[in-house]
Amino acid sequence: MRTAFAHEARLVLDEDGDERAPGGAVTLALCGSWEHPGPCPLAPHHTTSRPDDDALVVRVVFACAPADEDTARELLAEALDAGELMGPDGVRTRWRLLHQGADDLRPDEEDQAARLVAEP
């Protein structure tokens, strides 16, 4: 049985950086590819980002077996800590990670979390 978890990071994108890049890095880390058949193999997830002052807040809601939480969290943390992603368009985006870590699910994430838990 899967359980839903949340992870939040705060980072600063380089000028003209693509705000989608950190989420793409998370997808590559958790799934191995941007495109894959079927559900995410380790942890179905949903990533959002929003500007906050001079930083970007990236939240990942993911679902996995409790025994896989540490593995999933390590993979996504390493992806965000790497500080860069070469996108499928060949454009590199870089960022500086300010901090990241586990967070509680917010009430507005409950529906998304339930969908991720229920994915086949």
Side-chain angles (χ1 to χ4, degrees):
M1 182 76 183
R2 286 189 192 129
T3 301
F5 303 95
H7 190 90
E8 185 170 288
R10 186 175 178 87
L11 53 91
V12 177
L13 285 175
D14 276 0
E15 190 173 325
D16 298 326
D18 186 340
E19 290 183 1
R20 300 170 299 171
V26 167
T27 296
L28 281 177
L30 291 177
C31 302
S33 172
W34 282 294
E35 297 180 28
H36 56 81
C40 299
L42 174 63
H45 62 281
H46 179 75
T47 305
T48 57
S49 61
R50 65 175 173 77
D52 184 40
D53 293 326
D54 59 347
L56 185 69
V57 176
V58 177
R59 279 190 69 83
V60 182
V61 175
F62 64 99
C64 62
D68 293 331
E69 178 190 4
D70 288 344
T71 299
R73 205 175 286 282
E74 286 173 17
L75 288 170
L76 70 91
E78 288 173 4
L80 293 169
D81 192 45
E84 69 176 15
L85 175 74
M86 177 72 74
D89 56 1
V91 175
R92 183 178 310 275
T93 295
R94 291 184 172 91
W95 60 86
R96 181 173 46 91
L97 183 67
L98 300 174
H99 62 82
Q100 67 174 321
D103 199 10
D104 294 329
L105 287 168
R106 298 185 315 225
D108 64 319
E109 295 169 328
E110 290 176 5
D111 288 343
Q112 180 69 52
R115 284 190 292 276
L116 294 171
V117 167
E119 277 195 28

